[in-house]
Amino acid sequence: MKKPTKEERQRACTRKRRYRSQGDALDAVAILGLERSRKAYPCVLCGHWHLSTG
Ligand SMILES: [Zn+2]
């Protein structure tokens, strides 16, 4: 599997919802019932948190 390019990361960042903190992101995951398929990760581009698959 190839690594995401900088452009792909930028696109994902722009497209994804941002969370101010890990706690906010994990709260959203719990509310959506996605604990098994999503995890929160810190974004180096915007400094916020996004939800990732896998
Ligand atoms: Zn981001």
Side-chain angles (χ1 to χ4, degrees):
M1 210 154 95
K2 82 183 179 73
K3 284 187 172 178
T5 65
K6 195 174 177 182
E7 286 72 23
E8 286 166 346
R9 275 180 207 246
Q10 181 69 61
R11 219 167 24 239
C13 174
T14 306
R15 198 179 57 225
K16 287 182 178 188
R17 181 172 293 223
R18 288 171 191 173
Y19 299 95
R20 284 172 302 164
S21 67
Q22 184 178 26
D24 280 3
L26 293 177
D27 279 352
V29 169
I31 288 164
L32 295 169
L34 296 171
E35 293 98 328
R36 290 180 191 179
S37 57
R38 303 288 180 96
K39 66 180 182 181
Y41 70 94
C43 178
V44 295
L45 293 173
C46 67
H48 288 68
W49 289 72
H50 298 302
L51 300 183
S52 173
T53 54

